[in-house]
Amino acid sequence: GTLLGSAAGKSYTHWQGERLRLWQAQALGVPAPMLSPGSVIQINKNGLDVATGDGVLRLLRLQRPGGKPLDVAAMLNACGIQTGQQFS
């Protein structure tokens, strides 16, 4: 299932100096590859997979400052996030 619950919209990450709010995400229950936490592992129609210290987190819905929450496909069109890049 999706995570965040009451933390939806309160959890955030940074992307190229912008604070992105996390509205919907899912822990995949698989170990992350040997990458730094925040590394974008994979992007597909299901979401954006990011390495964390506890495994892989699939981001499903994000919000840019001043914008509305968007699903990952719309966010990718707006931000140009690519595999191998880094959230902080």
Side-chain angles (χ1 to χ4, degrees):
T2 58
L3 299 177
L4 299 183
S6 64
K10 298 176 188 168
S11 300
Y12 62 91
T13 188
H14 289 94
W15 171 253
Q16 297 184 343
E18 270 190 340
R19 182 173 160 159
L20 300 179
R21 290 182 184 266
L22 305 177
W23 284 93
Q24 194 173 16
Q26 180 179 26
L28 297 185
V30 296
M34 297 298 291
L35 297 170
S36 300
S39 296
V40 178
I41 301 167
Q42 175 176 275
I43 301 169
N44 61 39
K45 63 180 180 160
N46 298 318
L48 190 149
D49 297 350
V50 178
T52 74
D54 294 324
V56 178
L57 183 67
R58 177 166 288 162
L59 305 181
L60 303 168
R61 195 163 179 80
L62 305 167
Q63 180 182 9
R64 292 176 83 177
K68 61 183 180 178
L70 299 172
D71 63 26
V72 166
M75 181 62 71
L76 293 175
N77 290 335
C79 289
I81 299 169
Q82 297 178 5
T83 302
Q85 293 180 321
Q86 186 85 23
F87 285 99
S88 59

